[in-house]
Amino acid sequence: MTQTKLPIWTKSFLFISLSNFFLFLTFYALLTTLPIFVTDDLQGTEAQAGLIVTLFLLSAILVRPFSGKLLEDFGKKKMLLISLLLFMLTTFVYVAATSFYLLLALRFFHGIWFAIATTAAGAIAADIIPDSRRGEGLGYFAMSMNLAVVAGPFLALSLLNWISFSTLFIVLGALLAGALLFTSFVAAPVVKEPSKRKKITLHDLFEMNALPIALVGSLLAFTYSSVISYISIYTKSIGLLEAASFFFAVFAVAMLISRPFVGRIFDSRGPSIVIYPSLGLFALGLFTLSMTTSSFMLLLSATLIGLGYGSLVPCFQTLAIQSAAHHRSGHATATFFTLFDIGIATGSYVLGIVVSLVGYQPLYFIMGLFVFVVMYLYNTMNRKRLAHLNSRSTVHSS
């Protein structure tokens, strides 16, 4: 008797993916253009432009642990609608940002709603996807973020050739209105939850079962921060800045091509058969980047990093969600992305010190070696996970 394969691409899954795409498109569009806005329109310094990015991440990191509790108490769809609405309104208010300190306050406020919205969207997607196809489904869902990495900066930088920053903020706000509309059509499953406690505990902020894989994911994010933070400066120093504009496009294409196969293999044959080769490809991409002397080598490294790193994030996120009870999917998602954001933020700062001491090419070589540390820690965590699963199955069978 053949088992019916439950569908992933339902109407609700399509709408939550589109909503997530517009949310991340706005995020990446602002991430790329606000530093220019600070230096050109507000006459700020490069350091102030960097602070705009850092403060946004800081507020997201501070709020994300509480987002799982908010989703549990008020409902995932309701919190997604509220956070998207406030994220959209804040985007419109950027039009009135005539001073650096007002913009700084807006960025902190913006980060709060970004943390809640992304946690809610990821948790809803995890609930919609059939359990037996969660690895594949979350891989498809992650494509909405991968496409936004390319589409956001491309759209924003292209529009700025024709329109002002004020008009750009209005356009991005309108796109977020589209995200709100799509979310309203999502039929989010109602997951039965245990009785709520009034007192907030550590259990309300973090999913302890998801912490081991979230810590591994944090170190992965730390490593990847070397790419997103310094690739433009590195390529400029070796005379490949023009080719660098294609780096993330190639990176995204590599992710999109591999994503359907990776998700299916994850679900049918387990996580390790995907994760170990992906870590190897990520390390190889960083080694190639450290030795880059031509456009071909730069884009080859983008392909390898896209195939490797691009496969790892949805795999780790899936493991985090699978480690928790079904009603704790919001907490598991919040825990994973809290530590992931910390990895990116910490890496951007710490690796800036490292690169000032050793230079860019040694930095990427060191990061390639660091991936093997991540591999060792994943292997240790995975052995404990499998031992725990085996002990549970033994208890149930007896």
Side-chain angles (χ1 to χ4, degrees), residues 89-101:
L89 293 175
T90 309
T91 304
F92 282 127
V93 177
Y94 281 166
V95 173
T98 54
S99 74
F100 170 72
Y101 293 104

Side-chain angles (χ1 to χ4, degrees), residues 16 19-20 23-24 63-64 67 71 76 79-85 87 110-124 141 333:
I16 195 67
S19 175
N20 199 56
L23 173 62
F24 273 92
V63 170
R64 205 181 291 275
S67 58
L71 302 187
K76 294 167 187 172
M79 285 310 303
L80 179 56
L81 287 168
I82 291 170
S83 54
L84 277 175
L85 175 64
F87 192 80
H110 223 180
I112 293 170
W113 305 113
F114 179 77
I116 297 171
T118 51
T119 302
I124 290 170
F141 179 71
T333 303

Side-chain angles (χ1 to χ4, degrees), residues 31-59:
L31 192 70
T32 307
T33 55
L34 280 179
I36 304 171
F37 177 66
V38 170
T39 54
D40 290 4
D41 284 37
L42 301 183
Q43 304 300 307
T45 65
E46 284 79 4
Q48 287 177 321
L51 192 59
I52 288 293
V53 177
T54 304
L55 198 67
F56 182 94
L57 281 174
L58 177 63
S59 68

Side-chain angles (χ1 to χ4, degrees), residues 233-315:
I233 307 172
Y234 170 53
T235 51
K236 184 179 180 181
S237 70
I238 58 175
L240 294 175
L241 188 58
E242 287 187 16
S245 61
F246 296 98
F247 183 92
F248 285 106
V250 173
F251 174 93
V253 169
M255 282 193 292
L256 295 176
I257 290 171
S258 65
R259 191 53 53 78
F261 310 104
V262 167
R264 290 193 197 109
I265 295 169
F266 180 101
D267 288 328
S268 62
R269 301 184 63 185
S272 293
I273 200 166
V274 173
I275 288 172
Y276 287 120
S278 296
L279 284 166
L281 286 170
F282 185 29
L284 186 59
L286 290 167
F287 289 140
T288 305
L289 190 58
S290 74
M291 298 181 285
T292 291
T293 55
S294 65
S295 298
F296 172 77
M297 287 186 72
L298 181 68
L299 298 182
L300 175 62
S301 70
T303 304
L304 292 168
I305 293 170
L307 291 171
Y309 171 82
S311 300
L312 290 166
V313 176
C315 287

Side-chain angles (χ1 to χ4, degrees), residues 314-343:
C315 287
F316 284 178
Q317 183 189 355
T318 303
L319 283 174
I321 292 169
Q322 288 178 341
S323 69
H326 196 61
H327 71 276
R328 298 274 298 175
S329 61
H331 293 77
T333 303
T335 299
F336 179 79
F337 281 113
T338 297
L339 270 72
F340 196 86
D341 289 344
I342 290 172

